[in-house]
Amino acid sequence: MNLEKILGIKYPIIQGGMAHIADGKFAAKVSEAGALGVIGSGNMTGAQLRQEINICKSLTKKPFGVNLMLLNYYVDELAEIIVEERVPVVTTGAGNPSKYIEKWQVAGIKVFPVVPNPTLAVKMERSGADGVIVEGCEAGGHIGEMTSMTIIPQTADRVNIPIIAAGGIASGKQILAAKILGAIGVQIGTLFLSSVECPIHQEYKNLLLKSKYNNVTVIGRINGLPLRLIKNNMAVNYLRLEKQGLDKMELEKYTLGALKAAVESGDLEKGSFMAGLTLSQIEEIRPVEEILENLMEEYQEELGKIYNEIKY
Ligand SMILES: Cc1cc2nc3c(=O)[nH]c(=O)nc-3n(C[C@H](O)[C@H](O)[C@H](O)COP(=O)(O)O)c2cc1C
């Protein structure tokens, strides 16, 4: 199984859908550079999603995807727009997309749900998904409990569909490790935040460069919606409200609003600066093309080392 062939892309890399961030222009840039660019539909309306899809189509003829957040209020409408617009690939987040899978596949759309554990991966295989994106809790944004080191091989033992690894990947070495554990490709989020083309505020990018793994924390562990982000006043405030027992959907709205404040205004106090544990590996802001070329060069180099070890 070869992800490049399945998706019609140059590198076995999917750009993680990122709500409020990965718009049509950014997804097109990533696709043009050889990975699969993915529009993060987050809490968009149908009209907004259609507009971003059309922007993406106008900027690239290469395959691209849409990430559908299943908690979106307009989720049924968005699922339909994906069909109408013949989006080549769908990834889904925050739930079980079974009821949409058949309709998407009849329309020729490839479906890759994001799952936080092998149990949901098995359900997705039974529902007919083309593959699963297994996400370890090293990732930025909403996370599960399992690490990439455990979720990739444990899923590989249970399903026959292709596995894409996400969470904690930002180097060629990590791509190779994911492949050894049973993945045919990877999905990356945090590293793409550090690209020149990523449409986030410069303060967000500065913070990514300044922060290390020990500046990253997880909120939402009590209410069951754990989210990995950079520690700041917003995170402390969230934890306080969470301990007070504020409704989890209210807290979710608070987080999405705070993400907007981070992305659009770079508000260091009130913003939610989602990022994963690969943060410490980010040293500079580089063009998407350079990031991808560098990742694959490093991957080939690491693979070469293993071949040499086997030879001698
Ligand atoms: C800022 C940010 C926003 C994200 N938003 C979404 C989202 O809307 N939907 C989704 O399925 N995943 C979302 N993710 C997860 C990514 O798509 C991807 O799976 C994850 O970032 C991979 O792990 P990494 O951050 O270690 O590279 C988000 C991640 C980040 C960092």
Side-chain angles (χ1 to χ4, degrees):
M1 285 188 284
N2 176 304
L3 188 63
E4 296 90 313
K5 279 204 186 121
I6 295 172
L7 299 181
I9 53 180
K10 186 174 173 194
Y11 305 128
I13 300 174
I14 297 177
Q15 163 248 308
M18 294 185 276
H20 282 306
I21 296 173
D23 56 12
K25 189 174 169 198
F26 182 62
K29 266 279 169 207
V30 175
S31 286
E32 279 294 297
L36 184 82
V38 176
I39 298 168
S41 67
N43 64 349
M44 282 182 194
T45 62
Q48 285 170 325
L49 177 61
R50 204 185 289 278
Q51 188 181 4
E52 293 307 323
I53 291 172
N54 285 321
I55 290 172
C56 189
K57 282 179 180 169
S58 72
L59 296 171
T60 185
K61 296 288 162 262
K62 299 213 159 93
F64 67 96
V66 166
N67 173 259
L68 183 65
M69 230 260 291
L70 297 163
L71 291 175
N72 183 305
Y73 184 75
Y74 307 102
V75 60
D76 289 338
E77 186 192 345
L78 265 53
E80 198 54 49
I81 288 170
I82 286 168
V83 173
E84 287 165 17
E85 294 293 340
R86 295 280 185 271
V87 171
V89 183
V90 176
T91 68
T92 59
N96 180 341
S98 292
K99 70 170 183 171
Y100 304 113
I101 292 182
E102 198 186 334
K103 194 200 282 184
W104 284 333
Q105 287 178 328
V106 168
I109 298 168
K110 296 211 163 63
V111 187
F112 287 83
V114 179
V115 298
N117 58 58
T119 311
L120 193 52
V122 170
K123 276 194 194 147
M124 292 301 97
E125 181 175 45
R126 287 200 192 119
S127 301
D130 294 277
V132 279
I133 301 171
V134 300
E135 193 184 64
C137 61
E138 299 92 326
H142 283 292
I143 52 170
E145 289 291 342
M146 292 186 78
T147 58
S148 288
M149 191 67 137
T150 52
I151 193 175
I152 308 168
Q154 290 182 26
T155 305
D157 284 344
R158 288 171 175 78
V159 303
N160 293 310
I161 50 175
I163 295 172
I164 322 295
I169 298 164
S171 72
K173 231 179 230 178
Q174 287 159 326
I175 296 176
L176 183 60
K179 286 203 169 194
I180 290 171
L181 292 173
I184 63 162
V186 299
Q187 169 164 292
I188 293 177
T190 301
L191 180 63
F192 279 115
L193 289 175
S194 72
S195 63
V196 172
E197 296 89 341
C198 187
I200 55 174
H201 198 277
Q202 189 57 40
E203 287 291 355
Y204 202 151
K205 293 187 187 176
N206 294 345
L207 195 61
L208 290 171
L209 292 175
K210 267 202 308 216
S211 308
K212 296 282 164 242
Y213 64 88
N214 54 343
N215 300 114
V216 172
T217 191
V218 177
I219 59 174
R221 283 223 190 269
I222 302 173
N223 65 34
L225 287 175
L227 179 89
R228 194 179 290 288
L229 77 185
I230 300 173
K231 263 182 233 168
N232 67 350
N233 276 355
M234 179 270 160
V236 172
N237 196 33
Y238 182 106
L239 288 172
R240 190 176 49 79
L241 294 170
E242 191 183 10
K243 278 189 194 136
Q244 283 170 5
L246 192 71
D247 175 66
K248 75 173 177 185
M249 291 326 288
E250 285 303 312
L251 282 167
E252 188 59 17
K253 268 193 233 155
Y254 173 45
T255 319
L256 269 177
L259 177 61
K260 205 164 174 237
V263 171
E264 291 174 9
S265 339
D267 189 331
L268 295 171
E269 297 286 311
K270 299 195 186 106
S272 149
F273 295 87
M274 296 186 195
L277 290 167
T278 56
L279 199 65
S280 307
Q281 295 169 237
I282 295 172
E283 284 168 358
E284 52 184 334
I285 305 298
R286 293 173 299 160
V288 168
E289 202 175 59
E290 193 182 314
I291 290 176
L292 288 172
E293 279 169 5
N294 197 254
L295 278 175
M296 293 315 293
E297 268 169 31
E298 215 179 65
Y299 168 77
Q300 292 297 345
E301 220 175 275
E302 293 302 323
L303 194 59
K305 283 188 205 162
I306 292 190
Y307 277 134
N308 281 339
E309 254 178 53
I310 296 169
K311 254 188 0 208
Y312 298 108

